Structure formats: C-alpha cells, structure tokens
Amino acid sequence: ARGILSRTPALATGTISQVSKPRAGTMTTEFFALKGKILTPLFSMTFKESPDSMSVASFSPAAGGCPLSADDLSLLQALAIPM
C-alpha cells in the first residue's frame, strides 16, 4: 500500500494509518493516509474468522470517495481478496 500511496501526488509523502474495531460482529479495519495532522480515508476491509484462520471478506473504498486511482484500488482489492 505504501508504494501505491507514493503514486498519488497529494499523498506521496504521507504514511498509512489504520483503525480496527468490531462492527456487527465482524472485525473491520479502516485505512487512512496520514499527512501531517490530516487523515484521509482510503478504504476498509471486513474480515471473516474461522477457528483456523482469518481472511478478508470485503474490500470497500472510503464512503466519501477515495483519492487513489481506480487501478490502484483494483490492485489493492485483488491483493486483499485473491480469486
């Protein structure tokens, strides 16, 4: 994700920040770009758990829009949820 962030001019010097919390019984992690004191929402992932493992159940761009390109979002989604 760091390499993808560096391709977005407005966020190139930013870092990735994340917040995880349970929602409706499943763990959700929201990812942000942190540049200075400004957090910019990027995307979220919801996880499914089994007794043996945890995997990504869904990948969603930030609700208010994501500054990453559509190609970069597709790449992240493909990495998070392999076909």
Side-chain angles (χ1 to χ4, degrees):
R2 177 73 193 120
I4 288 174
L5 195 63
S6 69
R7 291 196 297 259
T8 306
L11 303 173
T13 60
T15 58
I16 299 289
S17 180
Q18 64 188 55
V19 175
S20 297
K21 54 186 151 188
R23 288 195 180 145
T26 60
M27 185 59 69
T28 299
T29 300
E30 296 179 34
F31 292 83
F32 302 86
L34 176 62
K35 186 172 178 184
K37 294 182 180 181
I38 299 172
L39 279 175
T40 301
L42 299 174
F43 58 89
S44 64
M45 293 190 291
T46 302
F47 297 88
K48 60 182 173 185
E49 295 182 58
S50 71
D52 301 339
S53 66
M54 178 184 279
S55 60
V56 177
S58 67
F59 178 97
S60 304
C66 177
L68 301 178
S69 72
D71 287 343
D72 286 341
L73 279 172
S74 294
L75 176 61
L76 288 169
Q77 184 172 14
L79 292 169
I81 307 172
M83 297 293 168

